Amino acid sequence: MDFAFVFIAEHAQRVSALIGSLRDLSKFQPSRPGDRADLLPIVNGALDLRRHAISESLRYLQEAMQSGHGDAGLWFLKGRLLHATRDPAAEEAFNLAVSHGLEESRVLAYLAEIAFWKRNFSGVHALLERIRARQGSPRLQPVMRFWTGREAA
């Protein structure tokens, strides 16, 4: 179990690093008109690599979970991987993580984003109210002000 979790966590870290690299590329300001076009194959390759890393991580995660280790951490990791691909099944994985003992506050922001994807704006508001009640992260303050009209408690 420990080996599987560490292996999957390492894949997740690689995916996160890759996402960070893609964000850096998006800030690229070309000095010549053709420079941005030159980046297209690199970005496409990075996206393919990201999809592959997520797919492989989900495969190893499924193997670990089939061996009877469906603990909160694995469900949370599955939720994060599915969330990264905007898969609606992420919501169920996050809810299962909470039902297996994960602190609810760790998934509320993800659930709010999924509700936003579904255009469930009242759900977004309700989830952000729950985050506000738990003194949400300072990084979420602008979002909290927009959706709830006030700062976190």
Side-chain angles (χ1 to χ4, degrees), residues 57-94:
S57 296
L58 284 167
R59 186 171 65 85
Y60 289 119
L61 183 61
Q62 190 63 34
E63 287 179 20
M65 295 175 94
Q66 284 177 347
S67 67
H69 295 86
D71 69 355
L74 292 178
W75 283 111
F76 180 65
L77 184 56
K78 183 173 185 173
R80 288 188 59 200
L81 289 167
L82 293 171
H83 179 269
T85 63
R86 294 184 68 131
D87 187 325
E91 182 176 16
E92 181 183 358
F94 287 132

Side-chain angles (χ1 to χ4, degrees), residues 74-150:
L74 292 178
W75 283 111
F76 180 65
L77 184 56
K78 183 173 185 173
R80 288 188 59 200
L81 289 167
L82 293 171
H83 179 269
T85 63
R86 294 184 68 131
D87 187 325
E91 182 176 16
E92 181 183 358
F94 287 132
N95 288 328
L96 284 167
V98 171
S99 72
H100 280 84
L102 187 73
E103 188 177 327
E104 184 185 44
S105 63
R106 295 192 55 197
V107 301
L108 289 175
Y110 292 107
L111 292 174
E113 187 171 2
I114 293 167
F116 182 81
W117 295 341
K118 293 178 174 181
R119 303 293 190 240
N120 176 2
F121 302 122
S122 62
V124 172
H125 185 271
L127 288 161
L128 290 175
E129 279 290 341
R130 287 166 60 190
I131 293 171
R132 187 190 64 75
R134 295 173 184 257
Q135 298 182 340
S137 162
R139 289 179 23 187
L140 290 177
Q141 291 305 317
V143 175
M144 303 299 258
R145 278 192 303 276
F146 179 81
W147 284 95
T148 66
R150 54 187 178 266

